[in-house]
Amino acid sequence: MSRIGKAPIALPAGVTVTVKDNVVTVKGPKGELSQEINPDLDVKVEDGHVVVTRPSDDREHRAQHGLYRALIHNMVVGVSEGYKKEMELVGVGYRATSNGQVLELSLGFSHAIYIKLPKEIKVEAKTERNKNPLIILESYDKQLLGQVCAKIRSLRKPEPYKGKGIKFVGEIIRRKSGKSANAK
């Protein structure tokens, strides 16, 4: 049996879960999310907990059991607490500024890059003296937040020689020695 799938999801105060026609809707203080689920799986809301059960031990049912339980758990945590990601710009002259839902990035290209963010995401750009610029993204939708962070990171991935680029705070970049280290 799936260890993740069989764990019940505790509902915090102020969060409601409804299941109708294979669509799970989660409402909370931060927002509302919905996810379509496989009709084979059964989702029940009982006394402050959400339980996902599967009909058989088929390989596909076992895989989807843990998947949908994790997706529902992410929605519950998102609408109650929210998610936050911090990204760091490492490099000389790299800058970030935010104006409403528009993020402006200077990443060493000949022009600035403007990214219009979805309304579900709150953005803040911090620049402190003698520190790398930070981009702080917050949202109640974990999937959307991860997708937007991946898009921003893809504009200038951290390179292994000097470590320049856009990276997550706390991320460790595997560094390579340059060609001078190999010379004999």
Side-chain angles (χ1 to χ4, degrees):
M1 184 112 180
S2 167
R3 290 186 198 168
I4 292 173
K6 67 182 176 182
I9 304 164
L11 293 178
V15 176
T16 59
V17 176
T18 55
V19 183
K20 186 178 180 194
D21 300 331
N22 301 325
V23 175
V24 176
T25 307
V26 181
K27 288 183 189 173
K30 295 211 179 238
E32 178 180 342
L33 293 168
S34 60
Q35 172 71 45
E36 191 173 331
I37 62 165
N38 187 331
D40 293 344
L41 298 176
D42 190 32
V43 178
K44 288 187 191 130
V45 182
E46 352 178 283
D47 50 85
H49 286 76
V50 178
V51 180
V52 181
T53 54
R54 64 176 187 238
S56 70
D57 274 348
D58 291 348
R59 185 180 181 94
E60 191 176 332
H61 287 155
R62 284 193 318 236
Q64 291 180 349
H65 188 205
L67 167 75
Y68 285 116
R69 188 266 178 204
L71 290 176
I72 294 169
H73 179 261
N74 289 344
M75 292 193 304
V76 169
V77 172
V79 297
S80 60
E81 300 166 22
Y83 291 99
K84 181 178 179 180
K85 295 249 188 188
E86 293 184 359
M87 302 178 89
E88 187 177 9
L89 279 68
V90 181
V92 178
Y94 288 11
R95 287 189 304 277
T97 54
S98 62
N99 186 7
Q101 290 299 101
V102 177
L103 180 65
E104 179 186 352
L105 299 169
S106 295
L107 300 174
F109 298 118
S110 61
H111 58 283
I113 299 168
Y114 296 92
I115 301 173
K116 185 164 179 2
L117 299 171
K119 65 181 185 317
E120 293 91 356
I121 293 183
K122 291 183 193 130
V123 64
E124 181 185 351
K126 281 187 182 176
T127 306
E128 291 182 31
R129 195 166 166 80
N130 296 330
K131 287 191 178 175
N132 292 327
L134 284 176
I135 303 169
I136 300 164
L137 300 163
E138 292 182 53
S139 178
Y140 57 87
D141 190 344
K142 188 175 186 178
Q143 291 178 7
L144 182 66
L145 183 65
Q147 201 171 359
V148 168
C149 287
K151 176 67 178 165
I152 292 171
R153 189 173 190 265
S154 72
L155 297 171
R156 190 65 106 174
K157 285 188 178 165
E159 52 95 20
Y161 295 101
K162 291 185 179 177
K164 291 168 50 170
I166 302 174
K167 68 180 191 107
F168 292 104
V169 171
E171 180 183 6
I172 297 168
I173 307 298
R174 280 192 63 199
R175 303 291 295 270
K176 290 183 178 179
S177 58
K179 60 183 178 185
S180 61
N182 296 333
K184 292 188 180 190

